[in-house]
Structures are given as structure tokens and as C-alpha cells.
Amino acid sequence: MSINPRRRLAAAVTAAAAALALTVGTAAGLPAAAASHTSTVAATQSAIPFTGQPANPGQATDPGQGGQSSGLGQGNGGSAGITPGNGTSPGGNAQSPNTGQGSNGSTQQEASPASAEESTGVVLIDTQLGYENAEAAGTGIVLSKDGLVLTNNDVIADSTKIAVTVATTGKTYEASVVGSDSTKDVAVLRLKDASNLQPATIDEDSVDVGDDVTAVGNSEGQGQLQAADGTVTDLGASVTTTAQGTEDSETLGDMIEVQADIVSGDSGGALLDDQGEVVGMNTAASSGAPVVTGFAIPIETALTTAESIIDGQQTSTNTIGYPAFLGIGVQQDSQSTQSGQGSQSIQPGDGNSNSQSGQSGQSGSTSQTAGAVVAGVYEDTPAAEAGLTAGDTITQIGSTQITDGTALSSAIAEHKPGDTVSMSWTDADGQSHTAEVTLTEGPAA
């Protein structure tokens, strides 16, 4: 199967597994398309948009330290994870075959075009990551006739525009994010002006080891649903991602493990039982071995998270709607020093839940003022309108003192798009400034 060499996977996973969303473009670093519209970024540094998502529990205080977080979000680069079905994406150099034979002599069926019955209630998702000059592809499951769709958070993370195509009709809808939870890798979309859709049939019984299943998804992001037959091999499995690009490592537990030809692009798709009912949501798969091992979130687990999002229940880990957005990239000290000394990295697009390693050997001083150092400013954003430029240090949001990027993240996360806040900063010459800024809607969390 040929694949676009520019495609990359959402995240590498330990034990040779990977999250399954696909992305095309230059998602790592300062977006190519936006680069000419931002203030100068320090040499060899990069930045992606900062929306102010709060730090997840268990994450290192400084995102540059690469501490644990929870979320299978989109990302690029990273450490030595092996990515399925893509021999060119950073972090992996093996291409997973579509068929093969395991060490125990077992064989695996190659995925084939999904039938009309298998496609019912399953949709194709295409997203634009406007601040990263990239596009992504994945899959979703229709929950309601009026257009509620369940998918993985990693399918829509950092997106600025989402299009959803109903596989059985070919009709495409504009979609918005109802909410998402990166720690559970669940997101809910709302299709604009949708009606009379055919929802997927949800299984009311539990799945057992040995059951026959079929994974349906937008394999390799080719815009056509594929069906991969397989067998449930384990329940309660655990999958841990390794930090890659804009994503920190994360663990998902209680997963359904299957032996099926699940590949990148299948993320958010339906795992069907032999009755054609949904028992899970495809999320991750192995690579580098003849027989692919896939992992799916049990559908009842995904629906529990989805229902709380639909009901608007705010938790410590989810985001309802879109996050507030200032419009900057944030430079972060890995040693959390007030002087700005030490190894530096760039605070990524959603604040802290998606950490990106920077130039870990590069030291120097960019500011003697405690605060969040601005690495870049995006055009036509609140930060740009306020006059912020690269090298400025944000010291206060409202009544909250800002000591670093993490504090800025938490302060912005307390607000919603449309809120007006007072912001204070110090420029590179040591001059103090204060302005009122109205936060806008950021990319999906």
C-alpha cells in the first residue's frame, strides 16, 4: 500500500504501538504558513500556538522536562517509537505490512473495503491545523441523528477546521468540537445542519476474548472506509505512548486488544462485533511485526466520557468547546529558573498537556524577569493586537502573577473565549506594559 511520505502519526507508543491519527504537513515547529506573520523567534527555536490548557496531573512542572501527562494527542518527532504503516514518519523506520505470519504461525487478513453495513454510522474526518500548516485524517462514530459524532481526541487536537463525511451518503458537513478529554483520548463533534443521520448500533453486551471483531476506519487517510477482520486477544490491556512532537507520553488502561490489521487513519473508528454492533473505538496499533496488534477503547468507557462532555460537565481533564487563545508561542526554561538561564524548550499549542522538546543543549539568557517568555506572536490574534513581540516576558494576567509558561497556561485556562483580561509584560529593554486583551477561540484542545 503506497502512502504519502509527508504523512506522520499522532504519537509513538511503547511496546511498538502507536496512536492512529494521520497528519500531513509541517506540524512540528513554527507553522511554515504562519512564519512570515509572526514576530522573530530566537535562532533554532520554534513555537506552536499556546492556548492555555492547564497542566495535566502527573506532568512535570516544566514542560521542557518531558514529564508524564495523559493524552494520545497529535505530535511529530520524538523518541524511538515505531510507527505503523509509515516508514518515513519521524520516530519510526519500519513499515507495517498488511498481511503477515506471527511467530506462532498465525496469519492476519488484509483489510478490505468496508461493506455498506459495516460503514453504517461511521464517518471520515479531515481536519486543518491552521497554526501548524498541516492537515489530519481520522474516523468517527455517529451517535445521534442530528449529528453528534464520537472520535479520538488525537484526531481533532490542534485543529482549526473540521470536515466530516458520512461514508454511506458521501455528504460532507462542517463540524465543531463539543468538547474533548485528552487524558481519555475522547472527543465529541457536532455536525452543522445535520439531520436524519443513521447512528451506529452500540453493543449492549460485553466482548470476550476469542470473539470475532472487525475494525472499520479511514485507513491511511485515503478517504475510503476499510474493514479489518480479527479476534479479541485480551481485555484490560494498557497502552503507553512515548513523547513525540507536541505530545507527552500517556497511558490508557482497560483497552480491548485485538489481532487485526488496524493502521494509521483508523483512529476514532468502530470496532464491530460479529453482529455489526460497536464494541470499541479504534485508538492504537502495533507496528514492525508481521501480525498487527490493535487497541480499542471499550465503547461504554468512551460513551461515559462523551456523555459528560455533551452534558457540559466540566472536569479537571476535559475542555468544553474550544479553549481561550492569546495567540503566542511560549519559551520555557527546563530548569525553571527566574533568570531565563538553562536549557530551553517551547511551550506547545495547548499549554502543558502536549509538551514539545526544544534545543535541550542550548543555554543562554533571554530575560532577567520572572514570567513566561514569548517565543513568537501569531498575526491577527489578541497578543498581536496588544503589541506583544518575541522576547517579551508576560508577568501578570488579571490579578495572577505569572512566573513561567505553566502559570500562564493555568491563568488563561481559567477564562473562556471572549473574556477580556488585563495583561502585563516587560519588553526586551526592560520597559513595563499593560493592556486589556480579549481572548479569542483557540484550536481544539
Side-chain angles (χ1 to χ4, degrees):
M1 180 182 298
S2 62
I3 40 184
N4 189 322
R6 295 178 65 203
R7 290 196 184 277
R8 65 168 174 82
L9 289 171
V13 181
T14 59
L20 300 175
L22 278 173
T23 304
V24 182
T26 56
L30 190 65
S36 62
H37 305 304
T38 63
S39 302
T40 303
V41 179
T44 73
Q45 299 279 358
S46 61
I48 56 180
F50 175 93
T51 57
Q53 279 299 100
N56 288 321
Q59 187 178 16
T61 301
D62 181 353
Q65 293 176 330
Q68 287 282 341
S69 79
S70 43
L72 289 173
Q74 285 176 329
N76 194 10
S79 57
I82 299 175
T83 56
N86 190 345
T88 60
S89 71
N93 56 11
Q95 182 167 342
S96 175
N98 291 320
T99 61
Q101 184 169 348
S103 59
N104 61 358
S106 61
T107 59
Q108 190 165 67
Q109 297 183 43
E110 184 179 82
S112 59
S115 67
E117 182 179 359
E118 292 167 333
S119 301
T120 301
V122 184
V123 296
L124 307 145
I125 299 176
D126 293 288
T127 69
Q128 295 181 16
L129 286 64
Y131 289 101
E132 301 181 22
N133 192 31
E135 297 177 347
T139 318
I141 301 169
V142 178
L143 298 180
S144 68
K145 292 183 177 180
D146 61 354
L148 285 175
V149 171
L150 174 71
T151 188
N152 282 138
N153 180 72
D154 67 78
V155 171
I156 56 89
D158 300 329
S159 63
T160 53
K161 186 175 182 179
I162 305 172
V164 174
T165 301
V166 177
T168 53
T169 65
K171 187 172 182 178
T172 299
Y173 299 85
E174 178 184 343
S176 60
V177 178
V178 178
S180 59
D181 192 328
S182 64
T183 67
K184 297 178 175 64
D185 205 5
V186 170
V188 178
L189 307 180
R190 166 76 70 180
L191 308 191
K192 183 178 180 181
D193 298 328
S195 62
N196 297 319
L197 301 183
Q198 179 62 56
T201 302
I202 306 301
D203 181 56
E204 296 182 354
D205 301 318
S206 59
V207 65
D208 295 317
V209 173
D211 285 356
D212 292 331
V213 289
T214 300
V216 179
N218 184 14
S219 302
E220 304 294 359
Q222 296 186 44
Q224 178 184 9
L225 292 181
Q226 296 284 310
D229 293 332
T231 306
V232 176
T233 54
D234 192 14
L235 301 175
S238 180
V239 179
T240 301
T241 66
T242 55
Q244 179 155 324
T246 59
E247 293 299 321
D248 287 336
S249 59
E250 170 186 77
T251 298
L252 291 177
D254 296 324
M255 304 281 279
I256 301 171
E257 180 185 291
V258 298
Q259 187 182 105
D261 187 25
I262 299 174
V263 297
S264 51
D266 288 336
S267 187
L271 184 68
L272 307 176
D273 63 13
D274 58 3
Q275 301 298 314
E277 298 178 338
V278 181
V279 295
M281 180 167 62
N282 307 325
T283 301
S286 66
S287 178
V291 175
V292 177
T293 300
F295 300 89
I297 300 172
I299 192 60
E300 61 270 20
T301 301
L303 287 177
T304 296
T305 302
E307 288 167 1
S308 67
I309 290 172
I310 294 168
D311 291 342
Q313 297 176 10
Q314 186 71 61
T315 71
S316 61
T317 61
N318 71 12
T319 299
I320 303 300
Y322 290 85
F325 187 47
L326 183 57
I328 61 173
V330 176
Q331 186 173 294
Q332 186 78 16
D333 279 347
S334 64
Q335 296 180 5
S336 300
T337 59
Q338 293 188 357
S339 65
Q341 298 282 348
S343 173
Q344 294 179 343
S345 65
I346 300 303
Q347 182 102 356
D350 64 354
N352 296 311
S353 62
N354 298 332
S355 176
Q356 179 182 1
S357 296
Q359 303 296 321
S360 60
Q362 183 175 351
S363 63
S365 176
T366 57
S367 175
Q368 296 297 316
T369 303
V373 180
V374 176
V377 179
Y378 289 86
E379 190 179 55
D380 299 325
T381 63
E385 294 173 3
L388 277 174
T389 61
D392 290 347
T393 302
I394 299 175
T395 57
Q396 190 166 329
I397 295 290
S399 60
T400 302
Q401 295 295 319
I402 303 301
T403 57
D404 54 23
T406 301
L408 178 60
S409 171
S410 297
I412 293 178
E414 293 295 323
H415 297 278
K416 297 180 179 180
D419 286 355
T420 298
V421 298
S422 174
M423 178 177 64
S424 299
W425 72 94
T426 302
D427 62 27
D429 295 326
Q431 299 296 313
S432 297
H433 306 266
T434 298
E436 296 288 319
V437 294
T438 300
L439 301 173
T440 190
E441 190 176 86

